[in-house]
Amino acid sequence: MLYVINALDHPNSLEGRKAHRPAHLARLTALQDAGRLVLAGPFPAIDSEDPGEAGFSGSLIVAEFVDLAAAQAWAEADPFRINGIYKEVSVRPFRQTLP
């Protein structure tokens, strides 16, 4: 089943994001390589594709997991969560209708 992981950053988390991004992306790449990642990306803190020093306000991930507990465990083990970039993470079941 698909799950949405919606994470909100602590303010001024850009430097932490930069430091832990390689490990964060490695986990997402593993999901993608397994055919389980639907989409993933950050929320720019301002209305711009490249927010520069304004940074990001959070992330959205949609991926397939065995169950809610597995999705929650995966989200809690993310380097952005472990290292204090994310202040809040919600995980919910998701049913894709389109496309």
Side-chain angles (χ1 to χ4, degrees):
M1 179 164 190
L2 294 178
Y3 294 87
V4 169
I5 300 168
N6 186 16
L8 301 177
D9 287 13
H10 283 282
N12 304 311
S13 61
L14 183 58
E15 291 307 312
R17 271 185 167 267
K18 289 177 183 177
H20 300 288
R21 188 170 187 259
H24 172 75
L25 287 179
R27 296 180 81 236
L28 291 170
T29 299
L31 281 179
Q32 183 178 25
D33 291 348
R36 296 172 41 207
L37 183 65
V38 175
L39 67 90
F43 298 115
I46 60 174
D47 188 11
S48 174
E49 179 103 6
D50 180 4
E53 291 304 310
F56 301 92
S57 62
S59 300
L60 178 72
I61 299 164
V62 179
E64 182 180 348
F65 293 93
V66 174
D67 57 24
L68 181 59
Q72 290 169 327
W74 189 93
E76 288 299 320
D78 190 277
F80 283 0
R81 181 65 164 171
I82 292 170
N83 292 288
I85 291 29
Y86 292 156
K87 70 176 179 179
E88 181 181 325
V89 176
S90 68
V91 181
R92 294 176 293 182
F94 178 73
R95 190 179 81 188
Q96 184 175 0
T97 301
L98 296 170

